Structure formats: C-alpha cells, structure tokens
C-alpha cells in the first residue's frame, strides 16, 4: 500500500503515531534532544479520550520553543518545516484535524529530507501516492520507507506496535542528525 493510502486508512492512534514519528525524526532541527517527544509517545498507548495528549503537547511545544531559542533559532527552511509540524499539531487527538496534521507531517518530513539531500526536483506527491522509492535519493527513500513502516506497525499491532514504531523513528533521527552534520561541514 502507498503512503497516501496508509494515511487515508489509519485510525486515530496510527495518525497520531505517524505525525509524532515524523516530528521525532526532525526534532534535532528544533534543538531538541532524543527524549524531547518521549512523553508525547507515551500518550499514544491509551485511547484518544484517555490520555493527556493536549497537555503533553503544550508542554512539548514550550520545551522545544525554549530549546530552539537557546540554540539561536535556525532560520533554515528545514527548521521552519519542523516548527510547522509542531505548531500545527491538534490539541485534540481525534477528528479530521488529526488526519490533516499527519498528512502535513508526512509531507514536511519528506521535504526536509529532500532539502538535506540536495537531490533536486522530485515529485513528492507522486512518491507518496505510488509508495515507490525507485529513483529517489537514498536519504529521501529511507524516510519514505520509515513513514510507511510506522503506519504499518501501528495498523497491524495497535498500541503494541508503538515500541517498534519508536525504534524506527529513533533510527531516522540518527540519520537526520548525521545528514545535518554532514551538510554543516560541507557548507562551512
């Protein structure tokens, strides 16, 4: 199934996990550490009415806003896309806003990886619609596979799939951090 189809069919937990995972992989651009989104991941184990999603999201925004300011606030396009993912997260973990946010996070994370890779002009909509990594740069293809894996894990295993989804995201964060470092050295 393509990434677009997986997002269209995902339940609320899957959508929230997809959005959080995309944001988690991009958290280094916000000055956040590896544990910055751990509390938000924790809210996903419960149903949307049982958790503290809204309150934890507010706290996460405050923490990452402060981290971004302390880091000097990067004006790069990649960091702006990551800030948009965080800013647009709905305080209610249900309804159409959640699907729109997950879709936007997917697109934003792919754009960030495209920019970091410097791979040129790629039709991201086609990649998401077709679910095919052929012809994509290695960094972008890996991000497409990670997004697909997170949605498949949560769809297949529910709350039990969250640990594996987090592991996929953690690996992606390391890869993004290395790509940012490599680009910084190149641009220096």
């Amino acid at each position: 199934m393509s990434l677009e189809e997986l997002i269209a069919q995902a339940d609320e937990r899957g959508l929230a996990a997809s959005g959080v995972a995309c944001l988690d992989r991009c958290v280094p651009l916000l000055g956040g550490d590896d544990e910055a989104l751990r509390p938000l991941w924790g809210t996903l184990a419960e149903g949307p009415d049982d958790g503290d999603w809204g309150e934890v999201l507010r706290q996460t925004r405050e923490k990452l806003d402060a981290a971004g300011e302390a880091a000097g606030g990067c004006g790069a396009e990649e960091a702006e896309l990551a800030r948009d993912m965080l800013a647009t997260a709905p305080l209610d973990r249900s309804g159409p806003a959640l699907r729109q946010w997950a879709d936007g996070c997917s697109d934003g994370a792919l754009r960030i990886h495209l920019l970091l890779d410097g791979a040129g002009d790629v039709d991201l909509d086609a990649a998401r619609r077709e679910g095919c990594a052929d012809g994509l740069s290695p960094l972008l293809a890996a991000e497409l596979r990670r997004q697909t894996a997170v949605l498949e894990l949560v769809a297949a295993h529910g709350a039990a799939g969250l640990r594996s989804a987090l592991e996929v995201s953690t690996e992606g964060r390391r890869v993004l951090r290395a790509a940012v470092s490599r680009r910084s050295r190149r641009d220096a």
Side-chain angles (χ1 to χ4, degrees), residues 54-167:
E55 182 55 32
V56 172
L57 178 58
R58 274 193 272 282
Q59 292 169 4
T60 302
R61 283 179 177 150
E62 289 172 9
K63 181 179 177 182
L64 287 173
D65 286 345
E69 289 173 15
C74 179
E77 188 175 353
E78 296 90 341
E80 188 61 37
L81 286 165
R83 281 192 290 275
D84 285 347
M85 282 191 258
L86 181 60
T88 58
L91 291 174
D92 183 12
R93 205 185 96 197
S94 62
L98 184 62
R99 189 170 309 280
Q100 183 178 0
W101 177 64
D103 191 56
C105 286
S106 169
D107 185 62
L110 288 169
R111 288 188 189 289
I112 287 168
H113 285 77
L114 177 64
L115 290 166
L116 287 172
D117 216 9
D121 192 25
V122 173
D123 187 352
L124 292 178
D125 291 333
R128 291 176 75 228
R129 184 175 50 254
E130 296 164 11
C132 181
D134 293 344
L136 299 179
S137 66
L139 188 65
L140 187 57
E143 175 60 14
L144 183 67
R145 284 191 296 272
R146 282 185 196 93
Q147 288 188 25
T148 301
V150 166
L151 285 160
E152 289 174 343
L153 285 164
V154 178
H157 305 289
L162 290 172
R163 181 176 301 280
S164 297
L166 177 59
E167 290 170 5

